[in-house]
Amino acid sequence: MAVVQPAHGERATSRYTRSVEGEAASGFLPDGSLLFTSKRDVPASGEEPPKKSTTALWCLPAGGGEAYVLARRDGGWGDVLTSPESDTVVVGVLMHAGVDGEEADAELREKRTKKKINAILHSGHPVRYWDHDLGPESTRLKVASLGGTEGERTLEDLRDLTGDVGRAVRGATLSRDGRSLAVEWGVAGSRGETTTQLELIDVASGQRRTVAVDPGYEFGSPVFSDDSRTLVCVRSARSTAERAPRPTLWIIDVASGHGRPLAEDWDRWPSPVAFSPDGSTVYALADEDGACPVFAVDVASGDVRRLTGDGAHSSVVRSPDGSRLYALRTSYAHPGEVVAIDAASGATVVLPSPVEYPEVPGRLERVETAASDGTRVAGWLVLPEGTSAKQPAELTLWVHGGPLNSWNAWSWRWCPWLLASRGQAVLLPDPALSTGYGQSFIQRGWGRWGAEPFTDVMALTDAVEARDDIRDDSTVMMGGSFGGYMANWIATQTGRFKAIVSHASLWNLTSFGPTTDAPWYWSREMSPEMMRAYSPHQFAEQIVTPMLVIHGDKDYRVPIGEGLALWWALVSNHDGDPADLPHRFLYFPDENHWILTPQHAKLWYETVLEFVAARREDRPMTPIDLLSAP
């Protein structure tokens, strides 16, 4: 579904498209028409019904009316890139290796379908990504121009820009005038390593040249200036077992390809989103102390100015005249609102919302303590309604994933308010490795997962449990992904918690490293010494806390083998009556790293809530009816 948010809040937000199946990639044309992809049924063209593999690129006229099919292709569409000053459209499409055109690609896809062949013969790495297999198709970028008039647009002269380049294309940005394309370009190296550089493609000629490459760095997230003469991107120092990555802003002169650092001493991890119209300012996002504000960076001096206050900002776009920025702002106090930000002063106005959210069932506090080495450790504390010294709340410790991440934005998948509605306080700590607290805070936990990240979590938990409005005798612990690793590590290091929930967790680091979808990345940090010191599986016999293990079979980031091995360790180390096994395993055959299906998400929460309630009350867990969960 797409909605339209009036830029000045002069009228309510309105729904733009209606589709049960949902819409995906989209882009506005200069006349305000919207191009988008959708899973909706493709109407027949002529007498032949469309094949199952045929998808459409749709156009919704700016003046209103029904969306119509702009173009069809066998195999679907990926990214849709448009520009405000040109009718040029760049699309990402999946095509088979070795084919020259659309017809040959469609024939090969049909042959595989008819023969029921889905095997893939790989010649390199990677072979998976998050929840899907890679190949035998890869992304190519194609360009077309728009013909016709509003309401009757046509896509004309679709031609290949990149050709068959394997899996090189990672992402792309189109310049404002539609003439240049900056592409994140993956380069396969020795020992399965993949690095990323920036390529610039002339849209008219298809000529490509490298504008950012360095063996010690990777480049990504390019943004063009309005005049297309300058690029800003992220240059990140490649990590090693001893050194954490270090992303900074990098300015590139498009004509010469010369680059230089911008605000190199700024101790944050920035991501650029826009230039000012005159090119003198770069706007960027960066995590900072439990928030993700918008910053203005002066291109000449590198001076950084924070524009916005609390909240995590995302999806930032700039008004054509540069006077305003628009963003989606969330926090753990609010699910999300569209805001208009004055580019000069940072003054922020909340624009009318299409929905009204219910009040959260409690209050949110910022908490902090000092770690054993004196480092400040901060986080958020969610307190249910009625919490007081006379009515202290039970505590749930919830550790974030990443681990290069921060608790700062609302999430429906990891929503502490659902626990607060059941009377639980929830602690959301940002331990070592969390972003928004400076490079040294990340470095002190790099390659030391079971050291400072663990002791930081424990220190903040101790501080919160010492409050008179929090109980200190019934705390449970939860975490997913890296937070799941921390759940497993905590389970092997202490018996202080009443229950532990380990979702999509890393259990055996030596088996995780080669089987994840990006092993070359993790091998930069996971040295043999690190894995020997901090892999939870080595201490399985020390687990005394009841654990709920949750894993999806389609999780390629943390493969199912990690969950299965953890579950076997728990079962095989239980030498009592099998009926008295205190642990549980919630397995999802068709989910990935995240539990996305609505009914499965509800079942996830129901199971988690019942498991921890039973362990807190020292009673048997009530059987979960998988078919009647709300």
Side-chain angles (χ1 to χ4, degrees):
M1 177 183 73
V3 297
V4 171
Q5 174 71 66
H8 298 284
E10 66 274 12
R11 65 180 188 277
T13 303
S14 58
R15 185 169 179 171
Y16 220 41
T17 62
R18 296 183 180 274
S19 168
V20 174
E21 297 83 359
E23 279 77 51
S26 62
F28 281 102
L29 300 177
D31 66 5
S33 298
L34 180 70
L35 300 189
F36 63 94
T37 61
S38 176
K39 292 183 179 180
R40 62 177 70 181
D41 292 338
V42 180
S45 178
E47 297 181 358
E48 291 293 327
K51 295 186 294 185
K52 290 183 178 181
S53 54
T54 299
T55 60
L57 181 63
W58 299 78
C59 182
L60 186 65
E66 294 293 330
Y68 60 90
V69 173
L70 184 71
R72 297 172 172 81
R73 81 172 295 271
D74 187 80
W77 309 84
D79 291 337
V80 177
L81 305 178
T82 58
S83 65
E85 297 177 358
S86 168
D87 278 345
T88 298
V89 177
V90 174
V91 292
V93 298
L94 286 174
M95 294 185 68
H96 289 85
V99 300
D100 293 328
E102 292 286 330
E103 186 175 339
D105 182 60
E107 289 177 359
L108 184 54
R109 188 174 293 106
E110 187 170 6
K111 286 180 180 179
R112 286 179 62 89
T113 300
K114 287 183 176 180
K115 288 181 175 289
K116 299 182 179 180
I117 296 293
N118 58 11
I120 304 164
L121 181 63
H122 291 285
S123 59
H125 220 279
V127 299
R128 291 171 153 188
Y129 185 68
W130 282 114
D131 63 349
H132 61 276
D133 296 302
L134 298 179
E137 300 166 306
S138 58
T139 299
R140 303 188 194 185
L141 295 177
K142 297 198 173 190
V143 63
S145 58
L146 287 169
T149 58
E150 183 181 346
E152 297 180 356
R153 290 285 201 176
T154 57
L155 199 65
E156 299 177 351
D157 303 322
L158 185 67
R159 57 185 173 85
D160 207 323
L161 276 177
T162 57
D164 185 3
V165 292
R167 296 180 185 141
V169 176
R170 301 298 179 87
T173 301
L174 187 62
S175 63
R176 188 174 182 86
D177 58 14
R179 296 178 180 178
S180 300
L181 195 64
V183 185
E184 296 178 48
W185 202 266
V187 179
S190 61
R191 298 180 180 274
E193 185 87 3
T194 298
T195 57
T196 306
Q197 60 194 42
L198 286 186
E199 300 286 299
L200 195 69
I201 298 178
D202 180 82
V203 173
S205 66
Q207 291 184 342
R208 173 168 60 89
R209 60 188 173 97
T210 304
V211 292
V213 61
D214 189 307
Y217 295 87
E218 297 197 76
F219 299 84
S221 305
V223 175
F224 279 101
S225 62
D226 282 20
D227 60 10
S228 305
R229 295 178 180 178
T230 308
L231 272 171
V232 63
C233 67
V234 174
R235 182 182 74 153
S236 182
R238 289 173 60 188
S239 57
T240 67
E242 295 78 29
R243 186 186 68 242
R246 177 70 172 98
T248 57
L249 295 174
W250 186 253
I251 287 280
I252 303 169
D253 177 76
V254 170
S256 66
H258 175 72
R260 65 174 178 87
L262 174 63
E264 191 173 21
D265 295 332
W266 182 23
D267 197 12
R268 291 294 180 265
W269 282 21
S271 178
V273 293
F275 276 91
S276 61
D278 63 2
S280 65
T281 301
V282 168
Y283 301 105
L285 296 173
D287 287 346
E288 183 161 85
D289 204 354
C292 185
V294 180
F295 295 87
V297 184
D298 185 81
V299 172
S301 67
D303 291 341
V304 179
R305 180 168 52 96
R306 179 168 171 168
L307 282 179
T308 60
D310 294 338
H313 297 73
S314 62
S315 303
V316 179
V317 295
R318 198 206 73 201
S319 65
D321 64 2
S323 64
R324 279 185 164 191
L325 302 169
Y326 300 95
L328 176 65
R329 182 179 67 185
T330 78
S331 72
Y332 277 105
H334 197 278
E337 54 198 356
V338 178
V339 295
I341 305 160
D342 185 275
S345 68
T348 300
V349 176
V350 178
L351 299 183
S353 173
V355 296
E356 291 186 8
Y357 298 112
E359 292 293 323
V360 294
R363 67 183 190 274
L364 183 68
E365 289 187 14
R366 191 74 174 148
V367 292
E368 63 180 68
T369 194
S372 57
D373 61 0
T375 301
R376 172 179 173 265
V377 180
W380 295 104
L381 180 62
V382 172
L383 293 162
E385 293 175 349
T387 301
S388 67
K390 294 183 178 180
Q391 189 177 336
E394 295 178 314
L395 180 66
T396 295
L397 165 66
W398 206 336
V399 179
H400 67 63
L404 304 174
N405 200 357
S406 171
W407 286 121
N408 57 30
W410 183 280
S411 171
W412 292 106
R413 290 187 295 105
W414 307 108
C415 187
W417 294 108
L418 293 175
L419 280 67
S421 69
R422 305 290 184 96
Q424 300 179 43
V426 183
L427 173 61
L428 306 170
D430 276 349
L433 292 174
S434 298
T435 51
Y437 303 92
Q439 188 68 20
S440 63
F441 195 75
I442 293 168
Q443 186 62 51
R444 63 191 282 270
W446 187 255
R448 297 175 54 81
W449 289 7
E452 285 81 2
F454 166 64
T455 56
D456 284 1
V457 166
M458 293 296 100
L460 195 56
T461 303
D462 290 340
V464 170
E465 284 186 339
R467 294 166 53 121
D468 59 10
D469 58 353
I470 297 294
R471 288 178 55 175
D472 63 0
D473 62 346
S474 59
T475 302
V476 301
M477 187 272 164
M478 300 168 56
S481 195
F482 174 79
Y485 162 86
M486 190 56 66
N488 297 340
W489 184 255
I490 286 173
T492 65
Q493 304 300 306
T494 177
R496 68 181 284 178
F497 295 99
K498 297 286 286 186
I500 291 178
V501 180
S502 178
H503 171 91
S505 67
L506 290 72
W507 170 244
N508 182 341
L509 298 186
T510 56
S511 63
F512 162 77
T515 59
T516 183
D517 59 351
W520 70 90
Y521 171 82
W522 297 101
S523 67
R524 297 175 185 173
E525 179 181 7
M526 289 184 178
S527 65
E529 295 77 16
M530 181 267 200
M531 291 188 284
R532 281 195 296 268
Y534 301 121
S535 187
H537 83 284
Q538 300 177 102
F539 310 98
E541 294 183 356
Q542 297 177 194
I543 296 177
V544 296
T545 306
M547 296 187 70
L548 171 61
V549 180
I550 308 176
H551 223 109
D553 206 302
K554 300 300 182 183
D555 186 350
Y556 294 166
R557 179 54 48 95
V558 183
I560 184 63
E562 296 297 295
L564 293 173
L566 168 58
W567 180 242
W568 173 243
L570 294 173
V571 172
S572 62
N573 285 325
H574 177 71
D575 58 4
D577 187 338
D580 296 329
L581 182 72
H583 315 293
R584 296 291 184 272
F585 183 15
L586 180 59
Y587 167 71
F588 292 96
D590 299 317
E591 297 285 0
N592 58 42
H593 200 59
W594 306 284
I595 309 304
L596 300 178
T597 306
Q599 291 301 322
H600 280 167
K602 294 177 182 179
L603 177 63
W604 189 98
Y605 276 107
E606 288 297 317
T607 306
V608 167
L609 290 167
E610 169 55 23
F611 179 80
V612 299
R615 301 315 174 202
R616 277 178 168 142
E617 299 165 14
D618 293 321
R619 62 171 174 81
M621 181 179 175
T622 302
I624 300 293
D625 187 340
L626 301 183
L627 298 180
S628 64

